[in-house]
Amino acid sequence: MRGQEGHPSRLALLGCLASLCVASVKGFATQTAWTTQTLESISLADNPSPQGPISEQERPTTTHGITEDAPYFVSPPLSSVRTRLGRPAVLTCVVKHLGNRQVSWIRGRDLHVLSYGQVTFSSDARLSVSHSEDSWTLTIKFSQPRDAGAYSCQVNTQPPQAVWYNLTVIEARANILGKETLYLQSGSTISLQCVIKEQLAIPGLVLWYQDDHLVERQSSRIKVTTRVTNVTTSTLTVEAARLQDSGNYSCWPSAGRPDSVLVHVIQGDPPAAMQHGSSAPGACPFLLVPMILTSLMFLLT
């Protein structure tokens, strides 16, 4: 009797379970569709277009118009950065919705990881990374020509997201017009003209050296004039040249590469071998001391 009375109860229970099962299947299908759509949106956010990082207005959204909280780059104001030799190079990367992910800076020429978060992985003390809100800044102090090239700011998503920067280090180069070796008669005028096409770290600062000594500008016989336009031109004039005015003359732009010329002041006709204008050996070592002095003057300014 109890079995017969319980039979309708069991049927009711089975019917209830069947209804719950159907509802669960429908719910699972709905959840799967939502999850697939969400993953597609996140995938779009994690893979910016080849043209560059996406902007706030271009971020992908769900069908409900809600922006996904996936990391993305804000287009850098300067993807091509230029700095002068000896000046800091500053590369700034802005990442929104970073969450618990980390930003790394990578050097392009050797794919060396320079930093992870705010920790640097370089023995070069000139490199540092700073973080402020959504900005991650790589700073290279006292930039050198070897620092030029590509740098990548990367977020450790799957797959990783990256934005690239190109750094150019401008090095001023001096060029003394004329021959590398000059022969002048005693009593004549030495006139050397140095042209620098690049912008100087300290505009108008050009130093002249005779061997390892700074040229005395206050002498009545010696005059240095420097003119700054779209190029910098510095002219050294030595009147009534004497035998002791012979030597290696070098033109040094501020924080730049020098150029030099060898001047011979002679009495009488020059030997036949000298008339060919060949450079005398051993002139380059004289550049070492001016290089140190110019570097110290640049750092103290």
Side-chain angles (χ1 to χ4, degrees):
M1 294 294 295
R2 291 181 179 178
Q4 292 177 356
E5 293 174 355
H7 184 66
S9 298
R10 286 198 299 272
L11 290 176
L13 179 60
L14 289 173
C16 182
L17 290 174
S19 299
L20 289 173
C21 183
V22 171
S24 298
V25 169
K26 290 181 178 179
F28 176 76
T30 303
Q31 178 67 23
T32 301
W34 181 87
T35 303
T36 301
Q37 186 179 32
T38 302
L39 289 176
E40 289 176 352
S41 299
I42 293 176
S43 177
L44 288 173
D46 284 348
N47 291 276
S49 62
Q51 286 74 22
I54 55 181
S55 64
E56 285 278 3
Q57 293 77 15
E58 298 170 338
R59 287 201 66 209
T61 58
T62 66
T63 55
H64 302 288
I66 301 175
T67 303
E68 298 292 345
D69 289 337
Y72 68 98
F73 292 102
V74 174
S75 300
L78 290 175
S79 57
S80 181
V81 178
R82 295 164 63 89
T83 187
R84 292 191 297 268
L85 179 71
R87 293 297 190 187
V90 180
L91 309 177
T92 300
C93 170
V94 180
V95 186
K96 295 289 187 179
H97 296 296
L98 184 62
N100 59 355
R101 297 174 178 85
Q102 292 293 340
V103 172
S104 298
W105 281 98
I106 299 173
R107 186 168 55 207
R109 72 168 184 265
D110 53 7
L111 298 181
H112 178 66
V113 178
L114 301 176
S115 67
Y116 182 79
Q118 291 184 268
V119 180
T120 56
F121 300 98
S122 175
S123 58
D124 193 339
R126 298 179 304 127
L127 273 65
S128 63
V129 174
S130 59
H131 172 226
S132 176
E133 296 183 352
D134 298 324
S135 299
W136 297 82
T137 301
L138 172 67
T139 301
I140 306 174
K141 296 180 180 179
F142 310 114
S143 57
Q144 301 296 316
R146 68 177 184 273
D147 298 322
Y151 292 82
S152 173
C153 175
Q154 188 174 106
V155 178
N156 61 337
T157 53
Q158 291 297 330
Q161 299 182 69
V163 61
W164 287 87
Y165 298 76
N166 185 66
L167 173 62
T168 301
V169 178
I170 302 171
E171 180 182 17
R173 295 170 180 261
N175 179 29
I176 299 178
L177 304 182
K179 297 180 180 180
E180 295 181 358
T181 305
L182 296 177
Y183 299 94
L184 299 169
Q185 291 286 345
S186 175
S188 60
T189 300
I190 302 173
S191 181
L192 304 176
Q193 189 175 66
C194 177
V195 176
I196 303 104
K197 296 181 179 180
E198 299 80 9
Q199 184 180 6
L200 301 183
I202 304 176
L205 178 59
V206 180
L207 302 178
W208 284 90
Y209 285 86
Q210 178 189 7
D211 296 331
D212 57 345
H213 302 291
L214 184 65
V215 170
E216 178 57 58
R217 295 175 178 237
Q218 302 300 323
S219 171
S220 59
R221 298 186 307 115
I222 301 174
K223 183 179 181 181
V224 175
T225 58
T226 301
R227 182 167 54 93
V228 180
T229 56
N230 57 332
V231 298
T232 299
T233 304
S234 183
T235 303
L236 169 65
T237 303
V238 181
E239 298 178 351
R242 306 166 183 170
L243 296 181
Q244 57 266 36
D245 292 325
S246 298
N248 185 79
Y249 286 83
S250 55
C251 170
W252 284 79
S254 56
R257 182 174 297 185
D259 193 17
S260 63
V261 60
L262 194 58
V263 176
H264 297 279
V265 179
I266 59 176
Q267 289 181 336
D269 294 331
M274 291 185 178
Q275 295 178 10
H276 291 86
S278 58
S279 298
C284 291
F286 289 118
L287 297 179
L288 180 60
V289 173
M291 181 182 296
I292 297 173
L293 293 176
T294 303
S295 299
L296 289 174
M297 290 182 64
F298 172 70
L299 292 176
L300 291 173
T301 56

